[in-house]
Amino acid sequence: VTILIALCPFVTKTAFLLVLSSHASIKFRSMMKFGRFVFPTLLASASAFSPKVAPRAFTSTRTALNANVLKLSEPTKEILDKTDVFIFDCDGVIWRGDSLIPGIPETLEKLRSLGKKMFFVTNNSTKSRAGYKKKFDSLGLDIPAEEIFSSSFAAAAYLEQTKFKESGKKVYIVGEVGICEELDNIEVPWIGGPDDAGKQPDMGPGGRLEHDEDVGAVIVGFDRFVNYYKIQYAQLCINENENCEFIATNLDAVTHLTDAQEWAGNGSMVGAIKGCTGQEPTVVGKPSPLMIDYLCTKLGLERSRICMVGDRLDTDILFGTDNGLQSLLVLSGVTSEEKLFSPQNTITPDYYADSINDFFLEGSKTSGSTSSASSATS
């Protein structure tokens, strides 16, 4: 086109536009032809590198963490007057490992004297409700069994809600006795669990692991005796049994086996099964709404008057914010003040405190009732 203009200054405006139009048309057709072959390839390539994010069963209310989060300074005004029901996580809030956090018995007694209802909700599935009642008793805490909810109980409640028993199927358990006891309570047959501890599949030439084709659900809970046999058995059930459901009690990354250090949590067991099945589990523990829906429906609780208290941002606090509850983070467990205010954190509690003992600390104002991200991480 440039050459044409240089050689033919007498070309009329109309002729120039015709030439330009013809040139553009040829170029456009070439691009379309190119696009039919290249664009699908590019799109396929892009989708191959795009992360596959499974849809969550509940709506998240996560927001970017602002410069400050309130540290509890006037507990009566900020929490106690607004709350009728407290839901407490256990590990990191009431105890660490097998050690009771100092001051907890007195704090719980004071809350009861104020007429507050309390529930204790743990993602640890190694014990049933009856098993946790024994643990509370061993620590000198007189907690009624009906106030205790574990993720093993949540798994059984989920099977009841979905009428699993009517299917005539059984459950394969990667987990410990807590899940087994809860399934016994609702008369759902199960295999695996502690019975498969120490087993090894035949991995010699031609070796194979036969599995029960009558398994209709695999429940994965925390398992201190997890092994390759259990992982293989679970993946066979999920991959080969028609409509076999994959259920996880929780996705906690770490847990408190002892008060000396953090230990790999159930997220590691669930991750192993996800990795070999390509399936996302139905999660029944926190932050899933299953337990709070159960409590509110059964007891007629008002969500806005419930406060979730926990030491984990991604389970306890998210459980509160996603389900319309008040939320209080305590620093007596896995989450530090530095982590709370880190740029990577996007989960915001209403308040945070050193422990639940701060509910009754007179003059508990610390230096400044708010903390900024810069001061917390400096």
Side-chain angles (χ1 to χ4, degrees):
V1 175
T2 304
I3 294 172
L4 180 64
I5 294 171
L7 295 178
C8 304
F10 56 91
V11 175
T12 64
K13 181 178 180 182
T14 302
F16 170 74
L17 291 175
L18 286 172
V19 173
L20 181 62
S21 174
S22 175
H23 176 78
S25 176
I26 294 169
K27 188 171 183 180
F28 177 74
R29 287 196 299 272
S30 298
M31 289 176 66
M32 290 299 291
K33 184 177 180 181
F34 175 78
R36 283 198 300 271
F37 294 96
V38 175
F39 289 170
T41 304
L42 289 174
L43 290 172
S45 175
S47 90
F49 288 96
S50 298
K52 298 291 190 289
V53 180
R56 294 175 65 186
F58 48 93
T59 302
S60 174
T61 56
R62 299 188 197 192
T63 56
L65 191 62
N66 293 325
N68 19 316
V69 175
L70 294 174
K71 184 163 189 179
L72 197 65
S73 59
E74 299 179 79
T76 299
K77 175 183 175 182
E78 294 165 342
I79 292 288
L80 298 179
D81 285 349
K82 300 177 181 178
T83 304
D84 298 326
V85 179
F86 284 96
I87 298 179
F88 293 112
D89 178 45
C90 296
D91 297 338
V93 178
I94 306 299
W95 59 65
R96 296 189 202 93
D98 290 322
S99 302
L100 186 66
I101 294 174
I104 295 300
E106 294 79 10
T107 294
L108 297 181
E109 186 177 345
K110 288 176 182 177
L111 287 172
R112 290 197 188 278
S113 70
L114 292 176
K116 307 299 183 185
K117 291 181 180 178
M118 290 180 282
F119 295 96
F120 300 85
V121 178
T122 175
N123 265 356
N124 192 327
S125 63
T126 59
K127 296 180 177 64
S128 61
R129 297 174 83 181
Y132 273 107
K133 169 61 178 168
K134 291 178 182 177
K135 178 161 186 174
F136 277 103
D137 290 344
S138 71
L139 295 173
L141 297 174
D142 185 16
I143 305 297
E146 58 269 22
E147 292 182 355
I148 303 168
F149 292 85
S150 64
S151 61
S152 53
F153 169 79
Y158 173 76
L159 293 181
E160 278 195 308
Q161 286 182 357
T162 56
K163 302 186 184 305
F164 179 83
K165 186 177 178 180
E166 296 178 8
S167 72
K169 300 287 187 177
K170 63 187 71 170
V171 174
Y172 182 72
I173 297 173
V174 177
E176 300 190 20
V177 67
I179 301 173
C180 307
E181 290 179 355
E182 292 292 356
L183 295 192
D184 286 341
N185 289 339
I186 62 170
E187 298 181 337
V188 167
W190 57 269
I191 59 175
D195 294 342
D196 285 352
K199 288 186 179 180
Q200 292 184 347
D202 177 8
M203 293 179 284
R208 58 183 285 117
L209 177 60
E210 301 295 339
H211 74 286
D212 192 331
E213 296 180 359
D214 208 28
V215 169
V218 172
I219 298 178
V220 181
F222 184 70
D223 191 339
R224 286 168 288 190
F225 308 99
V226 68
N227 56 34
Y228 190 67
Y229 180 96
K230 294 181 181 182
I231 294 171
Q232 172 66 356
Y233 203 104
Q235 77 87 6
L236 288 172
C237 292
I238 295 170
N239 285 337
E240 298 188 8
N241 291 1
E242 186 176 2
N243 298 322
C244 182
E245 187 165 10
F246 176 18
I247 301 168
T249 59
N250 66 89
L251 301 177
D252 292 8
V254 294
T255 189
H256 296 284
L257 284 181
T258 70
D259 59 355
Q261 63 181 180
E262 294 179 352
W263 298 78
N266 192 46
S268 61
M269 289 84 183
V270 175
I273 308 303
K274 284 173 61 177
C276 57
T277 63
Q279 301 294 317
E280 290 291 332
T282 296
V283 181
V284 296
K286 296 172 293 183
S288 163
L290 189 143
M291 281 196 276
I292 190 62
D293 289 347
Y294 178 89
L295 284 170
C296 289
T297 300
K298 186 165 185 172
L299 303 175
L301 304 179
E302 183 181 344
R303 292 182 186 235
S304 64
R305 301 285 297 177
I306 301 173
C307 182
M308 176 66 217
V309 182
D311 68 318
R312 297 175 185 269
L313 290 162
D314 60 347
T315 54
D316 301 323
I317 303 308
L318 198 58
F319 179 74
T321 59
D322 277 1
N323 292 294
L325 317 179
Q326 302 173 68
S327 59
L328 174 73
L329 176 76
V330 291
L331 306 180
S332 49
V334 300
T335 304
S336 64
E337 194 173 39
E338 181 179 4
K339 183 175 180 179
L340 171 63
F341 288 105
S342 70
Q344 290 74 35
N345 177 40
T346 59
I347 303 171
T348 312
D350 293 317
Y351 296 95
Y352 77 101
D354 293 326
S355 75
I356 66 170
N357 296 327
D358 288 4
F359 286 157
F360 299 104
L361 286 181
E362 292 296 332
S364 61
K365 273 189 182 178
T366 56
S367 53
S369 60
T370 64
S371 298
S372 68
S374 59
S375 64
T377 57
S378 61

